[in-house]
Amino acid sequence: DELKASLSNETVQPGEPFYCLIMGVDKSEEREQSAEFAGDTFRSDSMILARIDPTQKTVALVSIERDTYVDIEGYGPNKLNAAASYGGAPLVVSTISRFAGVPISHYVSVDFDGFKAAVDGLGGIEVDVPMAIDDDEAGGRVEAGQQTLNGDQALILCRSRHAYEDAGYGGGDYYRAANQRMVLGAIAKKLLASDPATMANTVTALCDYVTTDMSVTDIAAVANSMRGMDPSTDIYSTMNP
């Protein structure tokens, strides 16, 4: 209820563009049961502000870097990541809304298990991996090149930042964020290419693994309205300055 209260109270009519905050949480059943992470407050290190326009059939994905210096209501200037520890997801939503200057109408939060289940539920996703990833902290290795990734491999790609730093590229957070947006585009492409029945069944299955204020019917309606979109040209992808 507190998280819903942090969302914009502006009414969005069906078919109108809206903003949604997508949060990736570094949490899984395995981590919760491990001694290493016992009692840990899991972080929302991955934050993507999405603008979805069913009329124009376009999507804008903007990664919000976790170290972005913002004004956190009630706490003053700090890194954005601090908002989660101060006030959880509700404060993250309201802080990003003020920072970006847009009303956020919906949120989606997904953890490691949910992300892997989503990709596997789609039968894998087609991705051109920009460079070989070998990062134990992210979960293992993924080869470079065009390929079909399963849930475990897609998660490694979305989690790894040290591989880019070790390779001398620097800015691992930036490469990781770009990979996350690329993977979201691949998920959208696979989902929108499916027939209506498969799409509805997939959306229903995905809702078992994500936390969101949207109902299955709402999500299916938005997905259906975006049919015909070309993810290669109609998804704008970037990162905040």
Side-chain angles (χ1 to χ4, degrees):
D1 290 341
E2 186 180 356
L3 187 49
K4 288 183 179 181
S6 69
L7 299 172
S8 170
N9 56 13
E10 294 185 19
T11 302
V12 178
Q13 299 299 325
E16 285 187 348
F18 64 91
Y19 291 90
C20 175
L21 183 63
I22 304 169
M23 296 177 283
V25 183
D26 62 348
K27 173 183 175 184
S28 68
E29 184 176 350
E30 180 182 356
R31 280 193 161 202
E32 286 186 303
Q33 294 176 353
S34 72
E36 180 182 357
F37 295 98
D40 193 10
T41 300
F42 294 100
R43 300 161 296 180
S44 180
D45 275 348
S46 303
M47 293 161 279
I48 296 177
L49 181 61
R51 182 184 186 273
I52 299 168
D53 187 340
T55 303
Q56 299 296 324
K57 297 188 186 297
T58 58
V59 173
L61 300 175
V62 182
S63 295
I64 310 295
E65 218 277 327
R66 59 180 180 165
D67 286 341
T68 302
Y69 203 59
V70 296
D71 183 46
I72 303 173
E73 188 174 13
Y75 298 91
N78 208 328
K79 292 181 180 180
L80 175 59
N81 212 27
S85 59
Y86 289 149
L91 190 55
V92 174
V93 170
S94 61
T95 299
I96 291 179
S97 179
R98 287 195 307 275
F99 169 69
V102 298
I104 297 177
S105 304
H106 300 292
Y107 72 88
V108 176
S109 178
V110 59
D111 62 20
F112 290 169
D113 291 337
F115 178 83
K116 290 190 292 185
V119 173
D120 287 335
L122 287 168
I125 55 173
E126 296 295 325
V127 172
D128 188 1
V129 181
M131 63 168 266
I133 304 291
D134 195 355
D135 187 345
D136 289 340
E137 290 190 44
R141 182 176 177 85
V142 177
E143 301 299 333
Q146 187 76 35
Q147 59 194 293
T148 301
L149 300 184
N150 62 25
D152 285 315
Q153 294 169 317
L155 183 60
I156 292 170
L157 181 60
C158 287
R159 288 184 62 198
S160 179
R161 60 189 175 94
H162 296 297
Y164 295 92
E165 294 163 356
D166 292 345
Y169 289 103
D173 274 331
Y174 293 91
Y175 289 102
R176 175 171 66 176
N179 286 338
Q180 290 167 355
R181 298 192 303 274
M182 177 175 65
V183 166
L184 280 181
I187 290 173
K189 183 177 182 179
K190 191 72 175 283
L191 182 63
L192 294 174
S194 59
D195 60 80
T198 300
M199 180 185 288
N201 291 336
T202 302
V203 169
T204 301
L206 297 188
C207 285
D208 290 337
Y209 298 102
V210 302
T211 301
T212 178
D213 67 299
M214 300 177 73
S215 68
V216 173
T217 303
D218 291 337
I219 297 172
V222 171
N224 197 53
S225 71
M226 300 299 284
R227 290 180 65 85
M229 179 185 81
D230 182 353
S232 65
T233 59
D234 298 334
I235 294 182
Y236 175 72
S237 172
T238 190
M239 191 168 197
N240 71 288

